[in-house]
Coordinates of all heavy atoms in Angstrom, one line a residue:
M966 N 13.9 33.0 8.2 CA 14.4 31.8 8.8 C 13.3 30.8 9.2 O 13.5 29.8 9.9 CB 15.1 32.2 10.1 CG 16.4 33.0 9.9 SD 17.7 31.8 9.6 CE 19.0 32.8 9.4
N967 N 12.2 31.0 8.7 CA 11.0 30.1 9.0 C 10.8 29.1 7.8 O 9.8 29.1 7.2 CB 9.8 31.0 9.2 CG 8.7 30.2 9.9 OD1 8.9 29.1 10.3 ND2 7.5 30.8 10.0
R968 N 11.8 28.3 7.6 CA 11.8 27.3 6.5 C 11.1 26.0 7.0 O 11.4 25.6 8.1 CB 13.2 27.0 6.0 CG 13.8 28.2 5.3 CD 15.2 27.8 4.8 NE 15.8 28.9 4.2 CZ 17.0 29.0 3.8 NH1 17.8 27.9 4.0 NH2 17.5 30.1 3.2
K969 N 10.4 25.5 6.1 CA 9.8 24.2 6.4 C 10.8 23.1 6.1 O 11.6 23.1 5.2 CB 8.5 23.9 5.5 CG 7.4 24.8 5.9 CD 6.2 24.4 5.0 CE 5.0 25.3 5.4 NZ 3.8 24.9 4.6
K970 N 10.8 22.1 7.0 CA 11.6 20.9 6.8 C 11.1 20.1 5.6 O 10.0 19.7 5.6 CB 11.6 20.1 8.1 CG 12.6 18.9 8.0 CD 12.6 18.2 9.4 CE 13.5 17.0 9.3 NZ 13.5 16.2 10.6
R971 N 12.0 19.8 4.7 CA 11.6 19.1 3.5 C 11.6 17.6 3.8 O 12.6 17.1 4.3 CB 12.5 19.3 2.3 CG 12.3 20.7 1.7 CD 12.9 20.7 0.4 NE 11.9 21.1 -0.5 CZ 12.1 21.3 -1.8 NH1 13.3 21.2 -2.3 NH2 11.1 21.7 -2.6
I972 N 10.6 16.9 3.5 CA 10.5 15.4 3.7 C 10.7 14.8 2.3 O 10.0 15.1 1.4 CB 9.1 15.0 4.3 CG1 8.9 15.7 5.6 CG2 9.0 13.5 4.4 CD1 7.6 15.5 6.2
Q973 N 11.7 13.8 2.3 CA 11.9 13.1 1.1 C 10.8 12.1 0.9 O 10.4 11.4 1.8 CB 13.2 12.4 1.1 CG 14.4 13.4 1.0 CD 15.7 12.7 1.0 OE1 15.8 11.5 1.4 NE2 16.7 13.4 0.5
T974 N 10.3 12.0 -0.3 CA 9.2 11.0 -0.6 C 9.6 10.2 -1.8 O 10.4 10.6 -2.6 CB 7.9 11.8 -0.9 OG1 8.0 12.6 -2.0 CG2 7.4 12.6 0.3
V975 N 8.9 9.0 -1.9 CA 9.1 8.1 -3.0 C 7.7 7.7 -3.5 O 6.8 7.5 -2.7 CB 9.9 6.9 -2.5 CG1 10.0 5.9 -3.7 CG2 11.2 7.2 -2.0
Q976 N 7.6 7.7 -4.8 CA 6.3 7.3 -5.4 C 6.2 5.8 -5.5 O 7.2 5.1 -6.0 CB 6.1 7.9 -6.8 CG 4.8 7.6 -7.4 CD 4.7 8.2 -8.8 OE1 5.6 8.7 -9.4 NE2 3.4 8.3 -9.3
I977 N 5.1 5.2 -5.1 CA 4.9 3.8 -5.1 C 3.8 3.5 -6.2 O 2.7 4.1 -6.1 CB 4.5 3.2 -3.8 CG1 5.6 3.4 -2.8 CG2 4.2 1.7 -3.9 CD1 5.2 3.1 -1.4
V978 N 4.0 2.7 -7.1 CA 3.1 2.4 -8.2 C 2.6 1.0 -8.1 O 3.4 0.1 -7.8 CB 3.7 2.7 -9.6 CG1 2.7 2.4 -10.7 CG2 4.2 4.1 -9.7
A979 N 1.3 0.8 -8.3 CA 0.7 -0.6 -8.3 C -0.1 -0.7 -9.6 O -0.9 0.2 -10.0 CB -0.1 -0.8 -7.1
R980 N 0.0 -1.9 -10.2 CA -0.8 -2.2 -11.4 C -1.9 -3.1 -11.0 O -1.7 -4.0 -10.3 CB 0.1 -2.9 -12.5 CG 1.1 -2.0 -13.1 CD 1.6 -2.6 -14.4 NE 2.6 -1.8 -14.9 CZ 2.4 -0.7 -15.7 NH1 1.2 -0.4 -16.0 NH2 3.4 0.0 -16.2
V981 N -3.1 -2.7 -11.4 CA -4.3 -3.5 -11.2 C -5.1 -3.7 -12.5 O -4.9 -3.0 -13.4 CB -5.2 -2.8 -10.1 CG1 -4.5 -2.8 -8.8 CG2 -5.7 -1.5 -10.6
T982 N -5.9 -4.7 -12.5 CA -6.8 -4.9 -13.7 C -7.8 -3.8 -13.8 O -8.1 -3.1 -12.8 CB -7.5 -6.3 -13.6 OG1 -8.4 -6.2 -12.4 CG2 -6.5 -7.4 -13.4
L983 N -8.4 -3.7 -15.0 CA -9.4 -2.7 -15.2 C -10.6 -2.9 -14.3 O -11.2 -2.0 -13.7 CB -9.8 -2.7 -16.6 CG -10.9 -1.7 -17.0 CD1 -10.4 -0.3 -16.7 CD2 -11.3 -1.8 -18.5
A984 N -10.9 -4.2 -14.1 CA -12.1 -4.5 -13.2 C -11.8 -4.1 -11.7 O -12.6 -3.5 -11.1 CB -12.4 -6.0 -13.2
D985 N -10.5 -4.3 -11.3 CA -10.1 -3.9 -9.9 C -10.1 -2.4 -9.8 O -10.5 -1.8 -8.8 CB -8.8 -4.5 -9.5 CG -8.8 -5.9 -9.3 OD1 -9.9 -6.5 -9.1 OD2 -7.8 -6.6 -9.3
Y986 N -9.7 -1.7 -10.9 CA -9.7 -0.2 -10.9 C -11.1 0.3 -10.7 O -11.3 1.2 -10.0 CB -9.0 0.3 -12.2 CG -9.1 1.8 -12.3 CD1 -8.1 2.6 -11.6 CD2 -10.0 2.4 -13.1 CE1 -8.1 3.9 -11.7 CE2 -10.0 3.8 -13.2 CZ -9.1 4.6 -12.5 OH -9.1 5.9 -12.6
K987 N -12.0 -0.3 -11.5 CA -13.4 0.2 -11.3 C -14.0 -0.1 -9.9 O -14.7 0.7 -9.4 CB -14.3 -0.6 -12.4 CG -14.0 -0.1 -13.8 CD -14.8 -0.8 -14.8 CE -14.5 -0.4 -16.2 NZ -15.2 -1.1 -17.2
R988 N -13.6 -1.2 -9.3 CA -14.0 -1.5 -7.9 C -13.4 -0.4 -7.0 O -14.1 0.0 -6.1 CB -13.5 -2.9 -7.5 CG -14.2 -4.0 -8.2 CD -13.6 -5.4 -7.9 NE -13.6 -5.6 -6.5 CZ -12.8 -6.5 -5.9 NH1 -11.9 -7.2 -6.7 NH2 -12.8 -6.7 -4.6
L989 N -12.2 0.0 -7.2 CA -11.5 1.0 -6.4 C -12.3 2.3 -6.5 O -12.5 3.1 -5.6 CB -10.1 1.2 -6.7 CG -9.2 0.0 -6.3 CD1 -7.8 0.2 -6.9 CD2 -9.1 0.0 -4.7
K990 N -12.6 2.7 -7.8 CA -13.4 3.9 -8.0 C -14.7 3.9 -7.3 O -15.1 4.9 -6.6 CB -13.7 4.1 -9.5 CG -12.4 4.5 -10.3 CD -11.9 5.8 -10.0 CE -12.7 6.9 -10.8 NZ -12.1 8.2 -10.6
D991 N -15.4 2.7 -7.3 CA -16.7 2.6 -6.6 C -16.5 2.8 -5.1 O -17.3 3.4 -4.4 CB -17.3 1.3 -6.9 CG -17.8 1.2 -8.3 OD1 -18.0 2.2 -9.0 OD2 -18.0 0.0 -8.8
I992 N -15.4 2.2 -4.5 CA -15.1 2.3 -3.1 C -14.8 3.7 -2.7 O -15.3 4.2 -1.7 CB -13.9 1.4 -2.7 CG1 -14.3 -0.1 -2.9 CG2 -13.4 1.7 -1.4 CD1 -13.2 -1.1 -2.8
C993 N -14.1 4.5 -3.6 CA -13.8 5.9 -3.3 C -15.1 6.7 -3.2 O -15.3 7.5 -2.3 CB -12.9 6.5 -4.5 SG -11.2 5.9 -4.4
E994 N -16.0 6.4 -4.2 CA -17.3 7.1 -4.1 C -18.1 6.8 -2.9 O -18.7 7.6 -2.2 CB -18.1 6.8 -5.4 CG -17.5 7.4 -6.6 CD -18.2 7.0 -7.9 OE1 -19.3 6.5 -7.8 OE2 -17.7 7.3 -9.0
K995 N -18.1 5.5 -2.6 CA -18.9 5.0 -1.4 C -18.5 5.6 -0.1 O -19.3 5.9 0.8 CB -18.9 3.5 -1.4 CG -19.8 2.9 -0.3 CD -19.7 1.4 -0.4 CE -20.5 0.8 0.8 NZ -20.5 -0.7 0.7
Y996 N -17.1 5.6 0.1 CA -16.6 6.0 1.4 C -16.1 7.5 1.4 O -15.5 7.9 2.4 CB -15.5 5.1 1.8 CG -16.0 3.7 2.1 CD1 -16.0 2.7 1.2 CD2 -16.7 3.5 3.4 CE1 -16.5 1.4 1.5 CE2 -17.2 2.2 3.7 CZ -17.1 1.2 2.7 OH -17.7 0.0 3.0
G997 N -16.2 8.2 0.4 CA -15.9 9.6 0.4 C -14.5 10.0 0.1 O -14.0 11.1 0.5
F998 N -13.7 9.1 -0.5 CA -12.3 9.5 -0.9 C -12.4 10.3 -2.1 O -13.2 10.1 -3.0 CB -11.5 8.2 -1.1 CG -11.2 7.4 0.1 CD1 -12.0 6.3 0.5 CD2 -10.2 7.8 0.9 CE1 -11.7 5.6 1.6 CE2 -9.9 7.1 2.1 CZ -10.6 6.0 2.4
K999 N -11.5 11.3 -2.2 CA -11.5 12.2 -3.4 C -10.9 11.5 -4.6 O -11.2 11.9 -5.8 CB -10.7 13.4 -3.1 CG -11.4 14.3 -2.0 CD -10.6 15.5 -1.8 CE -11.3 16.3 -0.6 NZ -10.4 17.5 -0.3
S1000 N -10.0 10.5 -4.4 CA -9.3 9.9 -5.5 C -8.8 8.5 -5.1 O -8.7 8.2 -3.9 CB -8.1 10.7 -6.0 OG -7.2 10.8 -4.9
I1001 N -8.4 7.7 -6.0 CA -7.8 6.4 -5.7 C -6.4 6.7 -5.0 O -6.1 5.9 -4.1 CB -7.6 5.6 -7.0 CG1 -9.0 5.2 -7.5 CG2 -6.8 4.3 -6.7 CD1 -9.0 4.4 -8.8
Y1002 N -5.7 7.7 -5.4 CA -4.5 8.1 -4.7 C -4.7 8.3 -3.2 O -3.9 7.8 -2.4 CB -3.9 9.3 -5.4 CG -2.7 9.9 -4.7 CD1 -1.4 9.3 -4.9 CD2 -2.8 11.0 -3.8 CE1 -0.3 9.8 -4.2 CE2 -1.7 11.4 -3.2 CZ -0.4 10.9 -3.4 OH 0.7 11.3 -2.7
Q1003 N -5.7 9.0 -2.9 CA -6.0 9.2 -1.4 C -6.4 7.9 -0.7 O -5.9 7.7 0.4 CB -7.2 10.2 -1.3 CG -7.5 10.6 0.1 CD -8.6 11.5 0.3 OE1 -9.6 11.5 -0.5 NE2 -8.6 12.4 1.3
L1004 N -7.1 7.0 -1.4 CA -7.4 5.7 -0.9 C -6.2 4.9 -0.7 O -6.0 4.3 0.4 CB -8.4 5.0 -1.8 CG -8.8 3.5 -1.4 CD1 -9.4 3.5 -0.1 CD2 -9.6 2.9 -2.5
Q1005 N -5.2 4.9 -1.6 CA -4.0 4.2 -1.5 C -3.2 4.7 -0.3 O -2.6 3.9 0.4 CB -3.2 4.3 -2.8 CG -3.7 3.5 -3.9 CD -2.8 3.6 -5.2 OE1 -2.5 4.8 -5.6 NE2 -2.4 2.5 -5.7
N1006 N -3.1 6.0 -0.2 CA -2.4 6.6 1.0 C -3.0 6.1 2.3 O -2.3 5.7 3.2 CB -2.4 8.1 0.9 CG -1.2 8.6 0.1 OD1 -0.3 8.0 -0.2 ND2 -1.4 9.9 -0.3
Y1007 N -4.3 6.2 2.4 CA -5.0 5.7 3.6 C -4.6 4.3 3.9 O -4.3 3.9 5.1 CB -6.5 5.9 3.4 CG -7.3 5.5 4.6 CD1 -7.4 6.3 5.7 CD2 -7.9 4.3 4.6 CE1 -8.1 5.9 6.8 CE2 -8.6 3.9 5.7 CZ -8.8 4.7 6.8 OH -9.5 4.3 7.9
L1008 N -4.7 3.4 2.9 CA -4.5 2.0 3.1 C -3.0 1.7 3.5 O -2.7 0.9 4.4 CB -4.8 1.2 1.9 CG -6.3 1.1 1.6 CD1 -6.5 0.5 0.2 CD2 -7.0 0.3 2.6
C1009 N -2.1 2.4 2.8 CA -0.7 2.3 3.1 C -0.3 2.7 4.5 O 0.4 1.9 5.2 CB 0.1 3.1 2.1 SG 1.9 2.9 2.2
Y1010 N -0.8 3.8 4.9 CA -0.5 4.3 6.3 C -1.2 3.5 7.4 O -0.7 3.3 8.5 CB -0.8 5.8 6.4 CG 0.3 6.6 5.8 CD1 0.1 7.3 4.6 CD2 1.6 6.6 6.3 CE1 1.1 8.0 4.0 CE2 2.6 7.3 5.7 CZ 2.4 8.0 4.5 OH 3.4 8.7 3.9
S1011 N -2.4 3.0 7.0 CA -3.1 2.1 8.0 C -2.3 0.8 8.2 O -2.1 0.3 9.3 CB -4.5 1.7 7.5 OG -5.3 2.8 7.4
F1012 N -1.8 0.3 7.1 CA -0.9 -0.9 7.2 C 0.3 -0.7 8.0 O 0.7 -1.4 8.9 CB -0.6 -1.4 5.7 CG 0.4 -2.6 5.7 CD1 -0.1 -3.8 6.0 CD2 1.7 -2.4 5.4 CE1 0.8 -4.9 6.0 CE2 2.6 -3.5 5.4 CZ 2.1 -4.7 5.7
L1013 N 1.0 0.4 7.7 CA 2.2 0.8 8.5 C 1.9 0.9 10.0 O 2.7 0.5 10.8 CB 2.9 2.1 7.9 CG 3.6 1.9 6.6 CD1 4.0 3.3 6.1 CD2 4.8 1.0 6.7
R1014 N 0.8 1.6 10.3 CA 0.5 1.8 11.7 C 0.2 0.4 12.4 O 0.5 0.2 13.6 CB -0.7 2.7 11.9 CG -0.4 4.1 11.5 CD -1.4 5.1 12.0 NE -1.5 5.1 13.5 CZ -2.6 5.3 14.2 NH1 -3.7 5.6 13.6 NH2 -2.5 5.3 15.5
A1015 N -0.4 -0.5 11.6 CA -0.8 -1.7 12.2 C 0.3 -2.7 12.4 O 0.4 -3.4 13.5 CB -1.9 -2.4 11.4
V1016 N 1.3 -2.7 11.5 CA 2.3 -3.8 11.6 C 3.6 -3.2 12.1 O 4.5 -4.0 12.5 CB 2.5 -4.5 10.2 CG1 1.3 -5.2 9.8 CG2 3.0 -3.5 9.2
D1017 N 3.8 -1.9 12.1 CA 5.1 -1.4 12.6 C 4.9 -0.3 13.6 O 5.1 0.9 13.4 CB 5.9 -0.8 11.4 CG 7.3 -0.4 11.7 OD1 7.8 -1.0 12.7 OD2 7.9 0.4 11.0
K1018 N 4.3 -0.7 14.8 CA 3.9 0.2 15.8 C 5.0 1.0 16.5 O 4.8 2.1 16.9 CB 3.1 -0.6 16.9 CG 1.8 -1.2 16.4 CD 1.2 -2.0 17.4 CE 0.0 -2.7 16.7 NZ -0.3 -4.0 17.3
E1019 N 6.2 0.4 16.5 CA 7.3 1.1 17.2 C 7.8 2.3 16.5 O 8.3 3.2 17.1 CB 8.4 0.1 17.4 CG 9.0 -0.5 16.2 CD 9.8 -1.7 16.4 OE1 9.5 -2.5 17.3 OE2 10.9 -1.8 15.8
H1020 N 7.5 2.4 15.2 CA 7.9 3.6 14.4 C 6.8 4.5 14.1 O 6.9 5.4 13.2 CB 8.7 3.2 13.1 CG 10.0 2.5 13.4 ND1 10.1 1.1 13.3 CD2 11.1 3.0 13.8 CE1 11.3 0.8 13.6 NE2 12.0 1.9 13.9
D1021 N 5.6 4.3 14.7 CA 4.4 5.0 14.4 C 4.5 6.4 15.1 O 4.6 6.4 16.3 CB 3.2 4.3 14.8 CG 1.9 4.9 14.5 OD1 1.9 5.8 13.6 OD2 0.8 4.5 15.0
P1022 N 4.5 7.5 14.4 CA 4.6 8.8 15.0 C 3.3 9.3 15.7 O 3.3 10.2 16.5 CB 4.9 9.8 13.8 CG 4.3 9.1 12.6 CD 4.4 7.6 12.9
I1023 N 2.1 8.6 15.5 CA 0.9 8.9 16.0 C 0.7 8.2 17.3 O 0.9 7.0 17.4 CB -0.3 8.6 15.0 CG1 -0.1 9.4 13.7 CG2 -1.6 9.0 15.7 CD1 -1.0 9.0 12.6
D1024 N 0.3 8.9 18.4 CA 0.2 8.3 19.7 C -1.1 7.6 19.9 O -1.2 6.7 20.8 CB 0.2 9.4 20.8 CG 1.6 10.0 20.9 OD1 2.6 9.3 20.5 OD2 1.8 11.2 21.3
E1025 N -2.2 7.8 19.1 CA -3.4 7.1 19.2 C -3.3 5.6 19.0 O -2.5 5.3 18.0 CB -4.4 7.7 18.2 CG -5.0 9.0 18.5 CD -6.0 9.4 17.5 OE1 -6.6 8.6 16.8 OE2 -6.2 10.6 17.3
P1026 N -3.9 4.8 19.7 CA -3.8 3.3 19.4 C -4.6 3.0 18.1 O -5.5 3.7 17.8 CB -4.5 2.7 20.6 CG -5.4 3.7 21.2 CD -4.7 5.1 20.9
V1027 N -4.1 2.0 17.4 CA -4.7 1.6 16.2 C -5.9 0.7 16.6 O -5.8 -0.2 17.5 CB -3.7 0.7 15.4 CG1 -4.4 0.3 14.1 CG2 -2.5 1.6 15.1
P1028 N -7.1 0.9 16.0 CA -8.2 0.1 16.4 C -8.0 -1.4 16.1 O -7.3 -1.7 15.1 CB -9.3 0.6 15.5 CG -8.9 2.0 15.1 CD -7.4 2.0 15.1
D1029 N -8.5 -2.2 16.9 CA -8.3 -3.7 16.8 C -8.7 -4.2 15.4 O -8.1 -5.1 14.9 CB -9.0 -4.4 17.9 CG -8.3 -4.2 19.3 OD1 -7.1 -3.9 19.3 OD2 -9.0 -4.4 20.3
E1030 N -9.8 -3.6 14.9 CA -10.3 -4.1 13.6 C -9.3 -3.9 12.5 O -9.1 -4.7 11.6 CB -11.6 -3.3 13.2 CG -12.8 -3.6 14.1 CD -12.8 -2.8 15.4 OE1 -12.0 -1.8 15.5 OE2 -13.5 -3.1 16.3
I1031 N -8.5 -2.8 12.6 CA -7.5 -2.5 11.6 C -6.3 -3.5 11.7 O -5.8 -4.0 10.8 CB -7.0 -1.1 11.7 CG1 -8.1 0.0 11.5 CG2 -5.8 -0.8 10.7 CD1 -8.7 0.1 10.1
V1032 N -5.9 -3.7 13.0 CA -4.8 -4.7 13.2 C -5.2 -6.1 12.7 O -4.4 -6.8 12.1 CB -4.5 -4.7 14.7 CG1 -3.4 -5.7 15.0 CG2 -4.0 -3.3 15.1
Q1033 N -6.4 -6.5 13.0 CA -6.9 -7.8 12.6 C -6.9 -8.0 11.1 O -6.7 -9.1 10.6 CB -8.3 -8.1 13.2 CG -8.2 -8.3 14.7 CD -9.6 -8.4 15.3 OE1 -10.6 -8.3 14.6 NE2 -9.7 -8.6 16.6
M1034 N -7.2 -6.9 10.4 CA -7.2 -6.9 8.9 C -5.8 -7.4 8.4 O -5.7 -8.1 7.4 CB -7.5 -5.5 8.3 CG -8.9 -5.2 8.4 SD -9.3 -3.5 7.8 CE -8.2 -3.2 6.5
F1035 N -4.7 -7.0 9.1 CA -3.4 -7.2 8.6 C -2.7 -8.4 9.3 O -1.5 -8.7 9.0 CB -2.6 -6.0 8.7 CG -3.1 -4.8 7.8 CD1 -3.6 -3.7 8.4 CD2 -3.1 -4.9 6.5 CE1 -4.1 -2.6 7.7 CE2 -3.6 -3.9 5.7 CZ -4.1 -2.7 6.3
D1036 N -3.4 -9.1 10.2 CA -2.8 -10.2 10.9 C -2.4 -11.4 10.0 O -1.5 -12.1 10.2 CB -3.7 -10.7 12.0 CG -3.6 -9.9 13.3 OD1 -2.6 -9.1 13.4 OD2 -4.4 -10.0 14.2
D1037 N -3.2 -11.6 9.0 CA -3.0 -12.7 8.1 C -2.0 -12.4 7.0 O -1.9 -13.2 6.0 CB -4.3 -13.2 7.5 CG -5.3 -13.7 8.5 OD1 -4.8 -14.1 9.6 OD2 -6.5 -13.6 8.3
M1038 N -1.2 -11.4 7.1 CA -0.3 -11.0 6.1 C 1.1 -11.6 6.2 O 2.1 -11.1 5.7 CB -0.2 -9.5 6.0 CG -1.5 -8.7 5.8 SD -2.2 -9.1 4.2 CE -1.1 -8.2 3.1
G1039 N 1.2 -12.7 6.9 CA 2.5 -13.3 7.2 C 3.2 -13.9 6.0 O 4.4 -13.9 5.9
T1040 N 2.4 -14.2 4.9 CA 3.0 -14.7 3.7 C 2.7 -13.8 2.6 O 1.6 -13.7 2.1 CB 2.5 -16.1 3.4 OG1 1.1 -16.1 3.3 CG2 2.9 -17.2 4.4
P1041 N 3.7 -12.9 2.2 CA 3.4 -11.9 1.2 C 3.5 -12.4 -0.2 O 4.4 -12.1 -1.0 CB 4.6 -10.9 1.5 CG 5.7 -11.7 2.0 CD 5.0 -12.8 2.8
K1042 N 2.6 -13.3 -0.6 CA 2.6 -13.9 -1.9 C 1.6 -13.1 -2.8 O 0.5 -12.8 -2.3 CB 2.2 -15.4 -1.9 CG 3.2 -16.2 -1.2 CD 2.8 -17.7 -1.3 CE 3.8 -18.5 -0.6 NZ 3.4 -19.9 -0.5
L1043 N 2.0 -12.8 -4.0 CA 1.1 -12.1 -4.9 C 0.2 -13.2 -5.6 O 0.6 -14.3 -5.8 CB 1.9 -11.4 -6.0 CG 2.7 -10.2 -5.6 CD1 3.5 -9.7 -6.7 CD2 1.8 -9.1 -5.1
P1044 N -1.0 -12.7 -6.0 CA -1.8 -13.6 -6.8 C -1.0 -14.0 -8.1 O -0.2 -13.2 -8.5 CB -3.0 -12.8 -7.1 CG -3.1 -11.8 -6.1 CD -1.7 -11.5 -5.7
I1045 N -1.3 -15.1 -8.7 CA -0.5 -15.5 -9.8 C -0.6 -14.5 -11.0 O 0.4 -14.3 -11.7 CB -1.1 -16.9 -10.3 CG1 -0.7 -18.0 -9.3 CG2 -0.5 -17.3 -11.7 CD1 -1.3 -19.3 -9.5
R1046 N -1.7 -13.8 -11.2 CA -1.8 -12.9 -12.3 C -0.9 -11.7 -12.2 O -0.7 -11.0 -13.1 CB -3.3 -12.5 -12.4 CG -3.8 -11.6 -11.3 CD -5.2 -11.3 -11.5 NE -5.7 -10.5 -10.4 CZ -6.9 -10.2 -10.1 NH1 -7.8 -10.6 -10.9 NH2 -7.2 -9.5 -9.0
Y1047 N -0.4 -11.4 -11.0 CA 0.5 -10.3 -10.8 C 2.0 -10.6 -10.7 O 2.8 -9.7 -10.6 CB 0.1 -9.5 -9.5 CG -1.3 -8.9 -9.6 CD1 -2.2 -9.3 -8.6 CD2 -1.6 -8.1 -10.6 CE1 -3.5 -8.7 -8.6 CE2 -2.9 -7.5 -10.6 CZ -3.8 -7.9 -9.6 OH -5.1 -7.3 -9.7
R1048 N 2.3 -11.9 -10.8 CA 3.7 -12.2 -10.8 C 4.5 -11.9 -12.0 O 3.9 -12.0 -13.1 CB 3.9 -13.7 -10.5 CG 3.5 -14.1 -9.1 CD 3.9 -15.5 -8.8 NE 3.4 -15.8 -7.5 CZ 3.3 -17.0 -7.0 NH1 3.5 -18.1 -7.8 NH2 2.9 -17.3 -5.8
K1049 N 5.7 -11.4 -11.9 CA 6.5 -11.1 -13.0 C 7.2 -12.3 -13.5 O 7.6 -13.1 -12.8 CB 7.6 -10.0 -12.7 CG 7.0 -8.6 -12.6 CD 8.2 -7.7 -12.4 CE 7.8 -6.3 -12.5 NZ 8.9 -5.4 -12.4
A1050 N 7.4 -12.4 -14.8 CA 8.1 -13.5 -15.4 C 9.6 -13.2 -15.2 O 10.1 -12.1 -15.4 CB 7.8 -13.6 -16.9
R1051 N 10.3 -14.2 -14.8 CA 11.8 -14.1 -14.5 C 12.5 -14.8 -15.6 O 12.2 -15.9 -16.0 CB 12.1 -14.7 -13.2 CG 11.5 -13.8 -12.0 CD 12.2 -14.1 -10.7 NE 11.9 -13.2 -9.7 CZ 10.9 -13.2 -8.9 NH1 10.1 -14.2 -8.9 NH2 10.8 -12.3 -8.0
P1052 N 13.6 -14.2 -16.2 CA 14.3 -14.8 -17.2 C 15.1 -16.0 -16.7 O 15.5 -16.1 -15.5 CB 15.3 -13.8 -17.7 CG 15.4 -12.8 -16.6 CD 14.1 -12.9 -15.8
V1053 N 15.2 -17.0 -17.5 CA 15.9 -18.3 -17.1 C 17.4 -18.0 -17.3 O 17.8 -17.6 -18.4 CB 15.5 -19.4 -18.0 CG1 16.3 -20.7 -17.7 CG2 14.0 -19.7 -17.9
K1054 N 18.2 -18.3 -16.3 CA 19.6 -18.1 -16.4 C 20.2 -19.3 -17.1 O 20.0 -20.4 -16.6 CB 20.2 -17.9 -15.0 CG 19.8 -16.6 -14.4 CD 20.5 -16.3 -13.1 CE 20.0 -15.0 -12.5 NZ 20.6 -14.8 -11.2
K1055 N 21.0 -19.1 -18.1 CA 21.6 -20.2 -18.8 C 23.0 -20.4 -18.3 O 23.7 -19.4 -18.0 CB 21.7 -19.9 -20.3 CG 20.3 -19.8 -20.9 CD 20.4 -19.6 -22.4 CE 18.9 -19.6 -23.0 NZ 19.0 -19.4 -24.4
S1056 N 23.4 -21.6 -18.2 CA 24.8 -21.9 -17.7 C 25.8 -21.5 -18.8 O 25.6 -21.8 -20.0 CB 24.9 -23.4 -17.4 OG 26.2 -23.7 -17.0
T1057 N 26.9 -21.0 -18.4 CA 28.0 -20.6 -19.3 C 29.0 -21.7 -19.3 O 30.0 -21.6 -20.1 CB 28.7 -19.3 -18.9 OG1 29.1 -19.4 -17.5 CG2 27.7 -18.1 -19.0
D1058 N 28.9 -22.8 -18.5 CA 29.8 -23.9 -18.5 C 29.3 -24.9 -19.5 O 28.7 -25.9 -19.2 CB 29.9 -24.5 -17.1 CG 30.3 -23.6 -16.1 OD1 31.1 -22.7 -16.4 OD2 29.9 -23.7 -14.9
L1059 N 29.8 -24.8 -20.8 CA 29.4 -25.8 -21.8 C 30.5 -26.7 -22.1 O 31.5 -26.7 -22.2 CB 28.9 -25.1 -23.1 CG 27.6 -24.3 -22.9 CD1 27.3 -23.6 -24.2 CD2 26.5 -25.2 -22.5

């Protein structure tokens, strides 16, 4: 009867340029992350803790430096190189 509670998870994928990937690898080596996956998890949870404090399960306060990193995130616009092309809808009223 000692079963672990299963947590549902979802995989999040991000595409980056080869140059950005190499930068991420260098950051992993510099700061001691084992993989880019571990770095992505760290960044994702840091972001969640900073911007959604009411649902944060950790009681420790988030350092002000981390909160300030995400303060300017009010406009979630992607750089132009990452935008997806959207198909043009044609009118059926001819």
Side-chain angles (χ1 to χ4, degrees):
M966 294 275 177
N967 197 6
R968 294 183 181 170
K969 290 185 178 180
K970 184 178 178 182
R971 288 195 123 173
I972 298 174
Q973 291 183 338
T974 60
V975 176
Q976 183 179 16
I977 300 173
V978 179
R980 293 198 182 273
V981 295
T982 63
L983 181 59
D985 289 341
Y986 178 80
K987 289 177 180 179
R988 290 172 58 200
L989 289 170
K990 289 291 278 185
D991 291 341
I992 291 168
C993 287
E994 291 175 13
K995 181 177 178 180
Y996 291 99
F998 290 98
K999 294 179 183 176
S1000 64
I1001 292 177
Y1002 174 78
Q1003 187 182 30
L1004 174 62
Q1005 285 179 310
N1006 272 343
Y1007 178 81
L1008 292 171
C1009 183
Y1010 285 109
S1011 295
F1012 177 75
L1013 287 173
R1014 288 194 66 209
V1016 299
D1017 191 20
K1018 295 174 185 149
E1019 60 197 37
H1020 293 105
D1021 186 14
I1023 301 172
D1024 292 334
E1025 288 182 25
V1027 180
D1029 290 335
E1030 294 84 11
I1031 301 290
V1032 174
Q1033 290 172 358
M1034 282 175 37
F1035 299 113
D1036 276 345
D1037 296 334
M1038 300 296 288
T1040 55
K1042 293 182 181 177
L1043 289 175
I1045 293 173
R1046 66 182 180 194
Y1047 295 123
R1048 289 189 182 161
K1049 282 188 169 183
R1051 292 198 165 91
V1053 177
K1054 293 183 180 180
K1055 294 183 179 179
S1056 176
T1057 57
D1058 298 331
L1059 293 177

